[in-house]
Amino acid sequence: MGEPFRVGYCRCSTDEQDVEIQTEQLLALGVPRERIFIDKGFSGTTRKNRAGLDNALAAVTSAAAAIDGRQVVLTTPKFDRFARNMAEAGQTLTELREREVLFGLGSSIYDWNDPFGKLFLQTLAMVAEFEANLNHLRTREGMAKARAKGRLKGKQPKLPLTARKTIHRRYHAPADDASLADLAEEYSVGRSTIHRIVSSAAPRA
């Protein structure tokens, strides 16, 4: 049957997080760099506007249709990099099954058709969603305490500082053709938000 045909996916919730570690893990598993797809600045709690994941799914779909006799595997270093929403994780894994694509978690490969593999992945999805909800709860509690102490004043920016820096740099970079519409869609905000960021001075800490 030969070595599996692997397509890699990794994600980081902010630009500060080092996605290179995940990339190195995928390279060590035999995923070529050109078949590694990345989403930056996304929490993983939803599939919306995750171009990296969409491109990874398109790549495994094309490979499954073209390759004869080799397993096609969508590989990610950690499950919570792939999804932190149980319903959407199940939907995506079902799509992989329908396309005869397996799911790789690190060096292990799981078949959504196998009852034990399905149970294991469902459990991971449930844990990932629980952790995401717990983090959101802690964040809300922390913000509520800060407001009570007068530390949060006025309207807070819709995007973190690191994301605003990246948007400003990309929009003004000669080699980057990112438009207001492209950036608004990528960061799930309105064009007016992007316009305010790129029209002002470069954000600073």
Short mmCIF file of all heavy atoms in Angstrom, two decimals, residues 130-158:
data_model
loop_
_atom_site.label_atom_id
_atom_site.label_comp_id
_atom_site.label_asym_id
_atom_site.label_seq_id
_atom_site.Cartn_x
_atom_site.Cartn_y
_atom_site.Cartn_z
N PHE A 130 -14.98 21.36 25.97
CA PHE A 130 -15.07 21.68 27.40
C PHE A 130 -13.96 22.65 27.80
O PHE A 130 -14.20 23.64 28.51
CB PHE A 130 -14.97 20.40 28.22
CG PHE A 130 -14.85 20.64 29.70
CD1 PHE A 130 -15.95 21.03 30.45
CD2 PHE A 130 -13.62 20.50 30.34
CE1 PHE A 130 -15.83 21.28 31.82
CE2 PHE A 130 -13.49 20.75 31.69
CZ PHE A 130 -14.61 21.12 32.44
N GLU A 131 -12.74 22.39 27.35
CA GLU A 131 -11.62 23.27 27.68
C GLU A 131 -11.82 24.66 27.10
O GLU A 131 -11.51 25.67 27.75
CB GLU A 131 -10.31 22.66 27.16
CG GLU A 131 -9.88 21.42 27.93
CD GLU A 131 -8.61 20.82 27.37
OE1 GLU A 131 -8.26 21.14 26.22
OE2 GLU A 131 -7.96 20.02 28.09
N ALA A 132 -12.35 24.73 25.87
CA ALA A 132 -12.60 26.03 25.25
C ALA A 132 -13.65 26.81 26.05
O ALA A 132 -13.49 28.00 26.30
CB ALA A 132 -13.07 25.85 23.80
N ASN A 133 -14.73 26.12 26.44
CA ASN A 133 -15.78 26.78 27.23
C ASN A 133 -15.25 27.23 28.58
O ASN A 133 -15.62 28.30 29.08
CB ASN A 133 -16.96 25.82 27.42
CG ASN A 133 -17.72 25.56 26.13
OD1 ASN A 133 -17.65 26.37 25.19
ND2 ASN A 133 -18.43 24.45 26.06
N LEU A 134 -14.39 26.41 29.17
CA LEU A 134 -13.81 26.77 30.47
C LEU A 134 -12.93 28.01 30.34
O LEU A 134 -12.98 28.92 31.19
CB LEU A 134 -13.00 25.59 31.01
CG LEU A 134 -12.57 25.64 32.47
CD1 LEU A 134 -13.78 25.72 33.38
CD2 LEU A 134 -11.72 24.41 32.82
N ASN A 135 -12.15 28.09 29.27
CA ASN A 135 -11.31 29.26 29.04
C ASN A 135 -12.14 30.52 28.83
O ASN A 135 -11.80 31.59 29.34
CB ASN A 135 -10.40 29.03 27.82
CG ASN A 135 -9.28 28.06 28.10
OD1 ASN A 135 -8.89 27.87 29.25
ND2 ASN A 135 -8.75 27.44 27.06
N HIS A 136 -13.26 30.37 28.08
CA HIS A 136 -14.14 31.51 27.87
C HIS A 136 -14.75 31.98 29.18
O HIS A 136 -14.87 33.18 29.43
CB HIS A 136 -15.25 31.14 26.88
CG HIS A 136 -14.76 30.90 25.50
ND1 HIS A 136 -15.47 30.19 24.56
CD2 HIS A 136 -13.61 31.27 24.89
CE1 HIS A 136 -14.80 30.13 23.44
NE2 HIS A 136 -13.66 30.78 23.61
N LEU A 137 -15.14 31.03 30.02
CA LEU A 137 -15.72 31.37 31.32
C LEU A 137 -14.72 32.11 32.18
O LEU A 137 -15.05 33.13 32.81
CB LEU A 137 -16.20 30.09 32.03
CG LEU A 137 -16.79 30.28 33.44
CD1 LEU A 137 -18.03 31.16 33.37
CD2 LEU A 137 -17.12 28.93 34.05
N ARG A 138 -13.48 31.63 32.21
CA ARG A 138 -12.45 32.30 32.99
C ARG A 138 -12.17 33.70 32.47
O ARG A 138 -11.95 34.63 33.25
CB ARG A 138 -11.16 31.46 32.96
CG ARG A 138 -11.25 30.17 33.77
CD ARG A 138 -10.06 29.29 33.49
NE ARG A 138 -10.08 28.09 34.31
CZ ARG A 138 -9.31 27.02 34.10
NH1 ARG A 138 -8.46 27.02 33.07
NH2 ARG A 138 -9.39 25.96 34.89
N THR A 139 -12.20 33.83 31.13
CA THR A 139 -11.97 35.16 30.55
C THR A 139 -13.08 36.12 30.96
O THR A 139 -12.82 37.27 31.34
CB THR A 139 -11.91 35.06 29.01
OG1 THR A 139 -10.81 34.21 28.64
CG2 THR A 139 -11.72 36.44 28.39
N ARG A 140 -14.34 35.67 30.88
CA ARG A 140 -15.46 36.53 31.26
C ARG A 140 -15.39 36.90 32.74
O ARG A 140 -15.66 38.05 33.12
CB ARG A 140 -16.79 35.83 30.95
CG ARG A 140 -17.11 35.75 29.46
CD ARG A 140 -18.58 35.41 29.24
NE ARG A 140 -18.93 34.11 29.78
CZ ARG A 140 -18.87 32.98 29.09
NH1 ARG A 140 -18.47 33.01 27.82
NH2 ARG A 140 -19.22 31.83 29.63
N GLU A 141 -15.05 35.92 33.57
CA GLU A 141 -14.93 36.20 35.00
C GLU A 141 -13.83 37.21 35.28
O GLU A 141 -13.99 38.12 36.10
CB GLU A 141 -14.66 34.90 35.77
CG GLU A 141 -15.87 33.97 35.82
CD GLU A 141 -15.54 32.65 36.51
OE1 GLU A 141 -14.33 32.36 36.68
OE2 GLU A 141 -16.48 31.93 36.88
N GLY A 142 -12.69 37.04 34.56
CA GLY A 142 -11.58 37.97 34.74
C GLY A 142 -11.95 39.38 34.31
O GLY A 142 -11.59 40.36 34.98
N MET A 143 -12.69 39.49 33.19
CA MET A 143 -13.11 40.81 32.71
C MET A 143 -14.11 41.45 33.66
O MET A 143 -14.07 42.67 33.90
CB MET A 143 -13.70 40.68 31.30
CG MET A 143 -12.69 40.31 30.23
SD MET A 143 -13.43 40.12 28.60
CE MET A 143 -13.92 41.83 28.27
N ALA A 144 -15.01 40.62 34.21
CA ALA A 144 -15.99 41.15 35.16
C ALA A 144 -15.30 41.70 36.40
O ALA A 144 -15.65 42.77 36.91
CB ALA A 144 -16.98 40.06 35.54
N LYS A 145 -14.28 40.99 36.89
CA LYS A 145 -13.54 41.46 38.06
C LYS A 145 -12.78 42.74 37.75
O LYS A 145 -12.71 43.66 38.57
CB LYS A 145 -12.58 40.37 38.54
CG LYS A 145 -13.26 39.16 39.16
CD LYS A 145 -12.24 38.11 39.58
CE LYS A 145 -12.93 36.90 40.21
NZ LYS A 145 -11.94 35.85 40.57
N ALA A 146 -12.20 42.79 36.53
CA ALA A 146 -11.46 43.99 36.14
C ALA A 146 -12.38 45.19 36.03
O ALA A 146 -12.03 46.30 36.43
CB ALA A 146 -10.74 43.74 34.81
N ARG A 147 -13.58 44.98 35.48
CA ARG A 147 -14.54 46.08 35.39
C ARG A 147 -14.94 46.57 36.77
O ARG A 147 -15.07 47.78 37.01
CB ARG A 147 -15.79 45.64 34.62
CG ARG A 147 -15.60 45.49 33.13
CD ARG A 147 -16.94 45.39 32.41
NE ARG A 147 -16.73 45.11 31.00
CZ ARG A 147 -16.80 43.91 30.45
NH1 ARG A 147 -17.03 42.85 31.22
NH2 ARG A 147 -16.60 43.74 29.17
N ALA A 148 -15.15 45.60 37.68
CA ALA A 148 -15.56 45.96 39.03
C ALA A 148 -14.49 46.80 39.72
O ALA A 148 -14.80 47.64 40.57
CB ALA A 148 -15.84 44.70 39.85
N LYS A 149 -13.23 46.58 39.35
CA LYS A 149 -12.13 47.33 39.96
C LYS A 149 -11.76 48.57 39.14
O LYS A 149 -10.79 49.26 39.45
CB LYS A 149 -10.91 46.43 40.10
CG LYS A 149 -11.12 45.28 41.08
CD LYS A 149 -9.87 44.39 41.17
CE LYS A 149 -10.09 43.25 42.16
NZ LYS A 149 -8.90 42.37 42.24
N GLY A 150 -12.53 48.81 38.07
CA GLY A 150 -12.28 49.99 37.26
C GLY A 150 -11.12 49.88 36.31
O GLY A 150 -10.60 50.89 35.83
N ARG A 151 -10.68 48.67 36.04
CA ARG A 151 -9.52 48.50 35.17
C ARG A 151 -9.89 48.45 33.70
O ARG A 151 -9.04 48.60 32.83
CB ARG A 151 -8.76 47.22 35.55
CG ARG A 151 -8.12 47.29 36.92
CD ARG A 151 -7.49 45.98 37.30
NE ARG A 151 -6.93 46.02 38.64
CZ ARG A 151 -6.49 44.94 39.30
NH1 ARG A 151 -6.54 43.75 38.71
NH2 ARG A 151 -6.01 45.06 40.53
N LEU A 152 -11.15 48.17 33.41
CA LEU A 152 -11.60 48.15 32.02
C LEU A 152 -12.48 49.36 31.80
O LEU A 152 -13.55 49.49 32.40
CB LEU A 152 -12.40 46.86 31.72
CG LEU A 152 -11.60 45.57 31.60
CD1 LEU A 152 -12.53 44.43 31.26
CD2 LEU A 152 -10.53 45.69 30.54
N LYS A 153 -12.06 50.26 30.94
CA LYS A 153 -12.80 51.48 30.70
C LYS A 153 -12.99 51.67 29.20
O LYS A 153 -12.06 51.50 28.43
CB LYS A 153 -12.05 52.68 31.27
CG LYS A 153 -11.88 52.62 32.79
CD LYS A 153 -11.13 53.82 33.30
CE LYS A 153 -10.94 53.75 34.82
NZ LYS A 153 -10.19 54.91 35.34
N GLY A 154 -14.20 52.03 28.84
CA GLY A 154 -14.46 52.32 27.44
C GLY A 154 -14.57 51.07 26.59
O GLY A 154 -14.44 49.94 27.07
N LYS A 155 -14.78 51.27 25.31
CA LYS A 155 -14.95 50.18 24.35
C LYS A 155 -13.60 49.55 24.04
O LYS A 155 -12.65 50.25 23.70
CB LYS A 155 -15.59 50.71 23.08
CG LYS A 155 -15.97 49.62 22.09
CD LYS A 155 -16.69 50.21 20.90
CE LYS A 155 -17.09 49.13 19.91
NZ LYS A 155 -17.77 49.69 18.72
N GLN A 156 -13.53 48.26 24.16
CA GLN A 156 -12.29 47.55 23.90
C GLN A 156 -12.15 47.24 22.41
O GLN A 156 -13.14 47.05 21.70
CB GLN A 156 -12.25 46.23 24.69
CG GLN A 156 -12.36 46.43 26.20
CD GLN A 156 -11.27 47.32 26.73
OE1 GLN A 156 -10.09 47.04 26.52
NE2 GLN A 156 -11.64 48.39 27.41
N PRO A 157 -10.90 47.18 21.89
CA PRO A 157 -10.70 46.86 20.46
C PRO A 157 -11.28 45.49 20.12
O PRO A 157 -11.26 44.57 20.95
CB PRO A 157 -9.17 46.85 20.33
CG PRO A 157 -8.67 47.66 21.48
CD PRO A 157 -9.64 47.43 22.60
N LYS A 158 -11.82 45.37 18.90
CA LYS A 158 -12.39 44.10 18.48
C LYS A 158 -11.32 43.04 18.24
O LYS A 158 -11.59 41.85 18.33
CB LYS A 158 -13.20 44.30 17.19
CG LYS A 158 -14.48 45.07 17.39
CD LYS A 158 -15.28 45.13 16.10
CE LYS A 158 -16.60 45.85 16.31
NZ LYS A 158 -17.41 45.91 15.07
#
